[in-house]
Amino acid sequence: MTVPCVRVPTSEGEETRQALADRDLIHREREITVESGSLYIPVTDAAAVPAAYDVVDHDAPARETQTTPAEVLGFEPSYERLGDVVILDEDDADRARRIADAIVESDLRARTVVNRASKVKGELRVREWDVLVGESTETVHREYGYEFALDIAEVYFSPRLATERHRVISQVGAGERVIDMFAGVGPFAIPMAGRDADVVACDLNPVAVEYLRENARRNGVEEHVTAIQGDVRDLAADYAGWADRLVMNLPHSAGDFLETAMELAGEECMLHYYDIQHEDDPFGPGIRAIREAAAAADPAYDVAVETEHVVRSYAPHEYNVCLDVRLTSR
């Protein structure tokens, strides 16, 4: 089909394409083509094209695939999707801006584009962001059939852990009593409740707990979820010996809460303990810490390590790991 196109030498193609994109003139449903050393860029409104450009009628076929950020940039950028928020991790601010612009120009669905501005920090495990596109850092993330509303500027959430969460959640049976000791907005707790477990979900971050409650309602499991804001160490007063299953997803400092875990564990309890350790001994420190806490508990627990699982590489020579451990009261 013949449509208006800007014709430029291929050597000027990227500069011209960017200039037309800045004016929102590129025809998204037609292909950019090359012929005899010239680039033909389809445009939506020939009259709006600056007079400096040569506009001709040219046969531009319909696009068969969506435009990706890589096609716009000429290289494959690294990014994560969290609902309609796209997350970058770029040290170079100019490169981050260029990638953000390419995401907007592409067919990738994105309402907001952010770049990481700090590491996760503080006891609430949040980070700072540079918002490059859009305004709101709130979104709804969908994972294995569940929806999680959250604000990445106010709570911690990692979409990279979806497969690991599903691995653990799949082990939960109806009627189990689960305590998620560091629950966040509920990515473990909500699907576990969806499997008809009774879940107590605790988090220190009040904003996370509000989202947790909203997410329980959003997914229709509020009757199975008890959301508690505060220090998990305070749960022992009401839930000592209650749990059939404990989730300890606080990798840098879960060991500080093992005494509490032993207080919360029932006579037999499955513990999912997350840790970050050096590649030379990724599981040993966690196993030793669990055995020490189990031996010191009253009553003491026998410890059976059922799974030693590498979740992902965390940093050079360091792994994020999970230990699935069965505790049995002596």
Side-chain angles (χ1 to χ4, degrees), residues 20-216:
L20 295 172
D22 290 343
R23 293 173 171 81
D24 199 25
L25 289 172
I26 295 179
H27 198 315
R28 304 288 184 181
E29 298 178 2
R30 295 288 156 182
E31 293 280 4
I32 297 174
T33 59
V34 178
E35 186 176 314
S36 302
S38 293
L39 195 71
Y40 293 83
I41 306 172
V43 293
T44 55
D45 185 358
V49 174
Y53 294 112
D54 182 20
V55 179
V56 298
D57 288 333
H58 187 74
D59 185 15
R63 291 190 60 82
E64 296 181 358
T65 59
Q66 292 186 327
T67 300
T68 67
E71 290 173 320
V72 176
L73 291 164
F75 63 87
E76 189 70 51
S78 176
Y79 57 85
E80 288 182 287
R81 295 289 304 278
L82 188 56
D84 53 10
V85 175
V86 176
I87 299 172
L88 309 181
D89 189 10
E90 296 290 338
D91 294 329
D92 186 320
D94 291 337
R95 178 182 166 93
R97 169 57 62 184
R98 185 181 174 195
I99 294 172
D101 290 343
I103 288 169
V104 171
E105 188 176 336
S106 76
D107 293 317
L108 186 68
R109 182 178 64 86
R111 180 174 51 84
T112 303
V113 183
V114 299
N115 190 35
R116 289 183 175 94
S118 75
K119 295 182 178 180
V120 174
K121 58 185 180 180
E123 61 181 4
L124 300 186
R125 299 185 297 162
V126 295
R127 68 167 88 233
E128 297 174 0
W129 304 93
D130 288 330
V131 180
L132 304 177
V133 175
E135 297 179 359
S136 175
T137 50
E138 188 175 39
T139 190
V140 176
H141 173 69
R142 292 168 178 83
E143 185 172 299
Y144 288 96
Y146 291 89
E147 293 186 351
F148 302 99
L150 63 125
D151 186 334
I152 61 172
E154 300 289 342
V155 305
Y156 174 80
F157 190 96
S158 175
R160 296 179 182 180
L161 299 178
T163 301
E164 170 60 16
R165 287 191 283 262
H166 186 64
R167 181 189 73 85
V168 171
I169 291 160
S170 297
Q171 301 176 35
V172 175
E176 280 195 28
R177 298 189 299 190
V178 181
I179 297 179
D180 187 349
M181 296 174 64
F182 315 101
V185 302
F188 280 101
I190 301 299
M192 287 179 172
R195 295 175 69 86
D196 291 327
D198 291 315
V199 183
V200 173
C202 182
D203 202 275
L204 197 60
N205 185 339
V207 177
V209 173
E210 285 304 308
Y211 278 114
L212 171 60
R213 292 178 177 134
E214 177 186 341
N215 291 332

Side-chain angles (χ1 to χ4, degrees), residues 7-8 57 65 87 148 184 204 211 234 240 255 296 299 311-312 317 329:
R7 179 175 59 191
V8 294
D57 288 333
T65 59
I87 299 172
F148 302 99
L204 197 60
Y211 278 114
D234 296 333
V311 177
R312 59 173 175 161
H317 309 295
S329 179

